Amino acid sequence: MHIPDNYLSPTTCLVMGAVMVPIWGTAVRKVKKELTNKKIPLMGIGAAFSFMVMMFNIPLPGGTTGHAVGATLVALLLGPWAACISVTIALLVQAVIFGDGGILAFGANCFNMAFIAPFIGYYIFTLIKGRIKTVKGTYIAIFISSYLALNAAALFAAMEFGIQPLLFTDAQGMPLYSPYPLSISIPAMVIPHLAIIGVLEGIVTAGVYVFVKKVSPGIIYKDLEIKTKPIYGLLIAMVCISPLGLLATGTAWGEWGRNEINSVLTNGNQLGYIPKGMQQGFSFRTLMPDYSVNGISEMMGYILSAVGGVAIIIIIFKLLNGIKRNQEKRDCKR
């Protein structure tokens, strides 16, 4: 679901980034007002979890891959505004350090995965839980809400792909950017998410929610102790088994590089060309492209990428928490 650079026009990227600016601004204000200093570090854990769960690719029909996102889980534990920031930071680290998702397309990816997914998941859960108040009903609500949220995000990504050949073509009428119309992009994105990835998202969200509720109920309920050690233990376990994400061969739909897009099969035929906007588009060289490290095995590179990504995310949120504490101290002295 990570849209690479040059699949969306610069205009589309600018519009999506502009849409996200007030959302990010509101999220920062809401979090500063509503979350205590004890819960700010939990946003870092949530971001790290989202980062890790997106490393576990699974194979899909047609030779592509997909992954869960974890946005609804973070929204249910900390609120949708906190989830927006958490998933945004996870996507930022993925794009800048690992080249997973475009730099120019960052706003679009955040709109889909850091805004649409957590907010739809959170409010669908709230709606269902208000009508089914049993424990079993709560878990059903978690599954349904996270399932629908991920599919909504996939649908938005598909529409962003699909409008490109309608709006941006060259003098011969050939697509400049994503060459796939809505009739191709929507089924290609939505069907695998409806059939497989959404189910995975629902299972992961419900399973981890149950785990958190058992080992650290203070994250969910007020006035109870917040225990982070078991949660960090879960992250460490995910890092250790992260090479399982390498078992899925192939590239996620719509994430092909310039050198492979012309050979992608669409409706049984190869595309046969590279859109000009992709050929001449923006290029950004990352430190650890595709979660790899030069000179070491693919598996070790993946593990080091997982360690590095989680560490960077946790440090970012510790710094943000420190800034928030210093600001509160200055405010108290006035």
Side-chain angles (χ1 to χ4, degrees):
M1 200 187 298
H2 292 72
I3 301 174
D5 280 326
N6 306 317
Y7 272 78
L8 306 183
S9 72
T11 302
T12 305
C13 293
L14 181 63
V15 169
M16 298 305 296
V19 168
M20 283 304 301
V21 168
I23 294 173
W24 286 323
T26 303
V28 170
R29 290 194 297 272
K30 290 280 189 179
V31 167
K32 287 175 68 176
K33 182 179 179 181
E34 298 174 2
L35 257 65
T36 64
N37 290 331
K38 288 184 178 181
K39 285 205 168 184
I40 296 294
L42 295 178
M43 291 174 59
I45 296 176
F49 174 80
S50 180
F51 172 85
M52 283 304 310
V53 79
M54 285 190 269
M55 290 186 71
F56 287 91
N57 299 301
I58 64 170
L60 296 174
T64 62
T65 63
H67 57 72
V69 174
T72 299
L73 175 67
V74 184
L76 297 183
L77 296 177
L78 301 174
W81 293 108
C84 179
I85 295 176
S86 292
V87 180
T88 292
I89 296 298
L91 292 172
L92 180 64
V93 171
Q94 287 176 326
V96 173
I97 306 297
F98 305 103
D100 194 2
I103 301 297
L104 297 183
F106 179 67
N109 285 322
C110 286
F111 181 81
N112 302 332
M113 289 182 275
F115 176 63
I116 292 298
F119 276 86
I120 286 183
Y122 180 84
Y123 286 109
I124 289 178
F125 171 79
T126 302
L127 178 65
I128 298 175
K129 188 184 177 185
R131 301 185 179 187
I132 307 175
K133 298 185 178 181
T134 64
V135 173
K136 183 178 179 180
T138 298
Y139 300 147
I140 293 174
I142 292 171
F143 179 89
I144 293 173
S145 60
S146 54
Y147 173 85
L148 293 177
L150 190 71
N151 278 286
L155 176 61
F156 272 90
M159 291 190 294
E160 290 151 15
F161 281 123
I163 63 172
Q164 300 306 304
L166 291 175
L167 301 178
F168 307 100
T169 57
D170 62 17
Q172 288 74 42
M174 299 295 287
L176 286 170
Y177 303 101
S178 171
Y180 307 108
L182 291 167
S183 60
I184 292 176
S185 65
I186 290 179
M189 285 289 291
V190 172
I191 291 174
H193 283 81
L194 285 171
I196 300 174
I197 306 299
V199 176
L200 174 66
E201 180 83 7
I203 292 172
V204 169
T205 302
V208 176
Y209 186 93
V210 170
F211 173 78
V212 171
K213 183 179 179 181
K214 181 178 180 179
V215 302
S216 185
I219 295 176
I220 300 173
Y221 304 108
K222 294 181 179 179
D223 303 322
L224 293 176
E225 182 183 0
I226 296 175
K227 299 177 182 179
T228 57
K229 286 185 179 180
I231 313 300
Y232 280 115
L234 175 62
L235 283 177
I236 292 170
M238 292 177 72
V239 168
C240 292
I241 65 172
S242 61
L244 291 176
L246 294 170
L247 296 178
T249 58
T251 304
W253 195 93
E255 297 186 23
W256 304 286
R258 297 176 188 175
N259 297 329
E260 56 183 339
I261 188 170
N262 64 332
S263 62
V264 171
L265 287 174
T266 303
N267 290 346
N269 299 310
Q270 288 186 346
L271 185 61
Y273 69 96
I274 303 174
K276 292 179 182 178
M278 291 186 177
Q279 286 181 322
Q280 305 164 3
F282 176 79
S283 180
F284 180 80
R285 190 168 185 174
T286 57
L287 183 65
M288 303 169 72
D290 297 323
Y291 305 98
S292 63
V293 180
N294 287 334
I296 66 173
S297 68
E298 186 180 32
M299 185 177 74
M300 286 305 302
Y302 213 66
I303 292 175
L304 285 177
S305 297
V307 172
V310 168
I312 291 169
I313 289 169
I314 297 297
I315 289 170
I316 288 173
F317 278 93
K318 284 188 177 295
L319 291 174
L320 292 175
N321 194 35
I323 293 171
K324 184 175 183 290
R325 287 176 181 273
N326 290 334
Q327 181 63 48
E328 289 175 349
K329 290 179 181 178
R330 287 195 294 269
D331 293 340
C332 290
K333 291 179 180 179
R334 292 176 183 175

